[in-house]
Amino acid sequence: MKCREIMDALSRLAPESYACAWDNPGLLAGRAEREVSKVLIALDATDQAVDQAVKEECHLLLTHHPLIFQALKKVNDQDFIGRRLIKLIQADISYYAMHTNFDSAPGGMADLAAGILGLKDTSPLEVLGQAPDTGRPYGIGAWGTLEKPLTLRELALMVKERFSLPFVNVYGASMEECIVSRAAVCPGSGKGMSEAAIAAKAQVLITGDMGHHDGIDAVARGLAVVDGGHYGLEHVFVDFMEQYLKEQVSSQLTIIKAPVSYPVTSW
C-alpha cells in the first residue's frame, strides 16, 4: 500500500489540526507515494531507530516525537539531524511523526495513559478543542477518579508497575500515606500542568520532566507529583500504534518495534 494511505489512516486517528501551534507532526521526509509493506515504530527518531529502519529495510519510520521542530536552512552531514535525514532519504524510507496531535486526540496518548492507570470518568486536563464528528472535547492530559482509593505510595508503585518503569520520582514523600482518589496524568513533559491539575481538584499529577521548583511548589499547594519520566510514560505509543496499524490499516503490514530503551539511567 502507499505511504499516503497509511498517513490517511493515522490522520483519522489524530488529525494534524489537533496539534499544538509550536509542533511539527506529519510527513517530515520521504515520499507519500512510497510503497510500504514494512514499518518501524519508535518513540524518537534516534540514531539507533534510523539505523534499525535502514538495516531492516523498512519503507516507513513512524515516531511520536518529530525529528524536525524548527525550519532547517541546511540538510547535510555536519549535524545529527541532517545525518539522520540523509540516511532515511538515501534508503528511500518515508518518515512520519504524530506528536501533540496524538497526545490530544480522543483515544490518543492521554486516554491511553488514563486507561492504563484505570482512571474513570475522565476529562482532558487542558482542553484544546472539540472533535467535529462527536463534539467530544480533546486536549492535553486527563484527569479522573481511580478505580479504588490508594495511598500515594501505592499509586506511585502502581505507576511504576503498569508502565514497566525502572524507577519513579515522587514529590511529596511526606504525603505517602495520604489516600488518593482523584488523579491527573500528563504523559511526556508536564512540568507546566500543575495549575490545571489543581484546578481539576486532583490530589496527584502523574507526568514526566517535573522540575525541582515546579515539584516543590506543587507540593506546597497540596498536589503530589509522580514523575515517571518523559520516555517512561510515552513509550506505550509503540505498542499502541502496532495494534492500530494491524487492525485499522492492514494486517499484512510487517511491523517492527524499536526496543524499549530508557534514555535516563539511575545508578
Side-chain angles (χ1 to χ4, degrees), residues 8-85:
D8 288 343
L10 296 176
S11 293
R12 289 194 296 272
L13 170 65
E16 290 177 29
S17 60
Y18 284 14
C20 296
W22 50 264
D23 200 9
N24 189 40
L27 182 65
L28 302 186
R31 300 186 293 123
E33 295 303 311
R34 174 69 159 109
E35 285 288 344
V36 175
S37 61
K38 186 182 287 189
V39 181
L40 176 71
I41 306 174
L43 194 69
D44 298 280
T46 60
D47 287 320
Q48 291 80 5
V50 171
D51 288 343
Q52 184 179 5
V54 174
K55 180 180 179 181
E56 300 277 3
E57 298 183 340
C58 294
H59 311 123
L60 173 65
L61 172 61
L62 171 62
T63 70
H64 179 48
H65 297 130
L67 177 60
I68 304 170
F69 271 109
Q70 299 176 338
L72 299 176
K73 293 185 176 181
K74 299 176 182 178
V75 177
N76 56 42
D77 64 355
Q78 301 303 298
D79 69 84
F80 71 97
I81 293 178
R83 286 193 293 272
R84 293 175 192 174
L85 291 172

Side-chain angles (χ1 to χ4, degrees), residues 109-120 122 142-148 150 154-165 168 181-187 204-207 226 233 236:
M109 189 71 82
D111 287 342
L112 177 59
I116 291 172
L117 293 169
L119 293 183
K120 302 182 296 181
T122 59
W143 62 269
T145 56
L146 295 168
E147 292 174 316
K148 64 176 182 178
L150 300 169
E154 289 171 334
L155 176 59
L157 292 175
M158 185 182 80
V159 172
K160 180 180 176 181
E161 176 188 3
R162 294 193 179 180
F163 285 89
S164 302
L165 305 176
V168 294
S181 60
R182 195 177 181 98
V185 59
C186 183
V204 59
L205 171 61
I206 302 159
T207 188
V226 177
L233 298 187
V236 295

